[in-house]
Amino acid sequence: MMKKFLMLVMMMLTACAMLLAGCGGDKKEAAEKVLRVGTEPSFAPFEFQKEGSKEFTGFDIDLIRAIGKQMGYKVEVQNMGFDALIPALNAGNIDVAIAGMSITDERKKVVEFSDPYYTSGLIIMVNKDNNDIKSLKDLEGKRIACQIGTTGEKKSRSIPGAQVTAFNTQSEASLELKNGGADAVINDAPVVAYYLQQGGSESAKTVGEKMEAEDYGIAVKKDNAKLAAEINKAMAELKKNGEFDKIYKTWFGEDK
Ligand code: ARG
């Protein structure tokens, strides 16, 4: 009799323990809903690492953190080459890429984009003392530095006779110009503007106007329309509640 009773108690205790463990497990899962974000941080003010720090900062970083929070995800940002972002998405190694990435027809074939969040466009940067280059036409046969896999590289390669060097990072392309290894850089206008403003104007300047408009989008794996829709919903919410404008103002100092 006593034995049976003891066994019953034991069974009940085991059941309780299992239940508790089960609950704990669920909780853990909820807390670990992670959004794996890939970026290429040589693109201030959109994504960069403050000097001497490994931490990511910039407009895109603030935006994706706010979007992730809105969606109930913990955001984890990792650094990779710009040309590695789309393969990483499609291999399932990251969930989203935010990297000042222009929405192009070519990319739309291989990834899904969120709604556009920023309108950009390419511009030419040359050294301050260069007075020969005033437009795209003047770049024919010249040495151009750009970043691998970018729309700037594509534009550079479309110029007849140009000698194009594509670097892993945008910073290296700008340095190449400064060091006299290139005659021009083709890069996104807001990034060039920031670079000049942060001291680059001592040696460089822009020429000509911003080229055709390019819209930035957040990329997710092809056919993951569900995640893109969730991102759009969160972004719309941030636009409505003023958070998007606040982030915009932080980085561009003006109202959207
Ligand atoms: N907007 C250009 C493109 O999509 C350049 C983006 C470069 N981004 C970066 N994080 N380095 O090709």
Side-chain angles (χ1 to χ4, degrees), residues 12-69:
M12 273 167 69
L13 279 175
T14 319
C16 273
M18 272 163 74
L19 244 155
L20 277 173
C23 285
D26 278 348
K27 248 191 210 146
K28 207 163 145 242
E29 213 167 82
E32 276 176 358
K33 215 172 123 187
V34 170
L35 191 68
R36 296 166 305 161
V37 176
T39 195
E40 192 293 303
S42 68
F43 212 61
F46 294 93
E47 44 268 333
F48 59 107
Q49 289 159 304
K50 283 212 198 95
E51 264 197 62
S53 161
K54 283 264 159 274
E55 229 178 279
F56 301 104
T57 184
F59 176 75
D60 284 354
I61 305 300
D62 283 353
L63 181 61
I64 199 64
R65 286 198 193 286
I67 288 174
K69 191 166 168 209

Side-chain angles (χ1 to χ4, degrees), residues 74-159:
K74 178 168 180 255
V75 172
E76 282 178 9
V77 185
Q78 47 183 296
N79 181 347
M80 49 185 78
F82 187 74
D83 57 341
L85 290 168
I86 289 181
L89 275 178
N90 286 331
N93 295 335
I94 52 173
D95 303 307
V96 311
I98 188 161
M101 191 183 283
S102 305
I103 302 174
T104 66
D105 288 339
E106 213 178 319
R107 289 177 183 152
K108 272 201 285 196
K109 286 186 200 142
V110 286
V111 290
E112 194 82 31
F113 279 106
S114 71
D115 291 336
Y117 65 87
Y118 185 92
T119 302
S120 187
L122 297 170
I123 202 156
I124 302 168
M125 175 167 77
V126 297
N127 280 328
K128 224 170 160 180
D129 54 11
N130 183 320
N131 292 311
D132 321 328
I133 298 172
K134 298 201 168 56
S135 67
L136 265 182
K137 185 98 192 95
D138 301 328
L139 287 179
E140 293 182 8
K142 293 283 190 322
R143 299 168 304 163
I144 309 174
C146 55
Q147 186 181 15
I148 290 181
T150 61
T151 49
E153 179 183 13
K154 200 162 181 219
K155 180 62 87 181
S156 303
R157 299 212 183 272
S158 74
I159 298 166

